[in-house]
Amino acid sequence: MNVNMVKEDTQKMNIQRKIHNWKRRRQRARSLRNKAESRRWKKRNQRHIPVWGIGGVLAAVLLLILVGTRATALFKDKVVEIDLIVQDAQMYVGEEKPVFTAKVNCEGDTSVVLDEETDYTIQDLIDELQNGSGYTLESDGDGSEVGEYPISAVLTSAVSTPLNTDWLDKVAVHTVNGTFTVKEIDKEHEEELSKAAEEAYNQPMLALTFDDGPGKYTAKLLDALEQYGAHATFFMVGKNVPKYPDEVKRMLEIGCELGNHSYDHAQLTKLTPEEIQGQVNNTNGEVEKAAGSPATLLRPPYGAVDDNVKQNVGMPMILWSVDTLDWKTKDANATIESVLTNAEDGDIILMHDIHEQSVEAAIQLIPALQEKGYKLVTVSEMAKARGVKLENGEKYFGFWKKTE
C-alpha cells in the first residue's frame, strides 16, 4: 500500500478521534452545567424555615392553648353552678309511698340578673327550685316491689329552655339522682307498724281547720302552730293565695295541710260542671304556684253539696262537726268556749283565719287543747290514724273511733 495513503488515513482517524473526544467532553460539560444549574435553582427556590421560625410557631401554639384554657376558666368562673340534689327515700312494701324531695346547693353570685325586664335573678331561680317548682321528681318504683330505683329530677321546659339559651353564660343547673329503696316488710317491722297504728288510733285528736284565708292574721297563727308543734288544715280561697304566698309555703313547711275552698267562695251547687271544675282547678293552680304542691282536700263554701258537685270536684270533701260560729260572733272568748265545750276526740273544728278574734282564740286554744290530752293534727293525718281512706267526691264530717 502507498505510504502516503497510509499516512493520510492515519491523520483522518486522529482527526475523527479528536472530534469524537471533543464532542464527549462538550456533552459531559453541558451535563455537568445542567446539574449545577439545577442545584442552584433548587437552592434558590427552596423555602427554608429558620430555627427561630420553628420556635415562633411552637410559641404561638402554646399561647393559643393558654389563652383558650384561660378563657374556659374565666367562663367557668363566671357561670354560677347550682346543684339540684335528689334526696334518698325508702319504704316498706305496703306502706304509703313517700314524697320525694330535693335540696339545692349553690356557689357564686346569686344576685346576677337573668331577666332585665323583670329583674329576675339567680336567687329567684334558687328560691323556686327550693319550693319544688321548675322540676319534677320521677322514679319507676311504685313501692309494690322490693328493689332500688333511681329518683331523677327532670327540669321543666320553663327552666331548661333558658338555661340552654339566654342564661347559658350565667347559670347552670346540675341534677344529682337519689335512690328509692323499697324493702320487704319483716315480722319485727310489721309488729312495730301494728303497734304504731294502734297507738295512733287510740290517741285523742282533733283537727283544727281554717277557712277563707290566707289573710293578714295567718302568719301569727302559723307562729303559734309551729311553737306548739301543732298541725292544722287551711281551706284557702284561690284569689287570696297570690297575696300571701310566703304564708302558704310556710303552712306546708311546718306540717300543715293545704285545702281548697274554691276560687272566689262561690256556692258550687249553683254552678255548671265546667264552672265547678274551674273553681277547683284555678285554686289548686294558685296553691301549687305558692307552695310547690296543690291542695289535697276541698271544703265546699257554705257546705253546699249535691250530686253535680260530687261528680266534678275531683277531691275529698271535708265538712265539720264543730262550728264555732266565729265569723258571726267575732268574739275570741265565745270561740274558745265553743271549742272547749263541744269538741271531742275525732272532731273537725271550723274556724276562719281572716278574723283577728278567731286567730287570737286559736292561739289560746292550741296549748289548752294539748293540755287536755288532744293531739292537733291535719284532716288527712286523722283520717289515716282512724283507718279511713279518703275518696274523691265523698263527704267527711269527722273521724271517730268505732263503737263496740
Side-chain angles (χ1 to χ4, degrees), residues 345-404:
D345 180 26
D347 277 334
I348 297 174
I349 300 168
L350 170 61
M351 301 175 70
H352 299 76
D353 55 319
I354 59 170
H355 302 305
E356 184 177 14
Q357 298 89 339
S358 300
V359 170
E360 291 298 333
I363 291 173
Q364 297 182 55
L365 280 169
I366 291 168
L369 292 170
Q370 289 177 332
E371 288 176 7
K372 293 183 69 172
Y374 289 111
K375 184 176 182 179
L376 301 180
V377 296
T378 67
V379 169
S380 290
E381 286 172 338
M382 188 156 66
K384 181 179 179 181
R386 296 294 156 85
V388 178
K389 182 179 179 181
L390 300 175
E391 303 285 350
N392 292 343
E394 293 296 323
K395 296 186 298 182
Y396 302 89
F397 295 87
F399 302 96
W400 302 282
K401 294 176 185 175
K402 296 177 181 179
T403 56
E404 298 297 335

Side-chain angles (χ1 to χ4, degrees), residues 123-137:
Q123 186 59 53
D124 293 324
L125 173 61
I126 293 172
D127 291 342
E128 289 186 5
L129 294 174
Q130 288 176 332
N131 289 338
S133 300
Y135 65 93
T136 58
L137 298 177

Side-chain angles (χ1 to χ4, degrees), residues 42-53:
K42 288 182 178 179
K43 188 174 181 180
R44 285 196 304 270
N45 291 279
Q46 186 174 7
R47 295 183 178 178
H48 292 288
I49 300 177
V51 174
W52 64 266

Side-chain angles (χ1 to χ4, degrees), residues 32-43:
L32 291 172
R33 186 167 57 252
N34 289 340
K35 288 182 179 179
E37 288 183 358
S38 177
R39 285 195 296 271
R40 285 195 297 272
W41 183 89
K42 288 182 178 179
K43 188 174 181 180

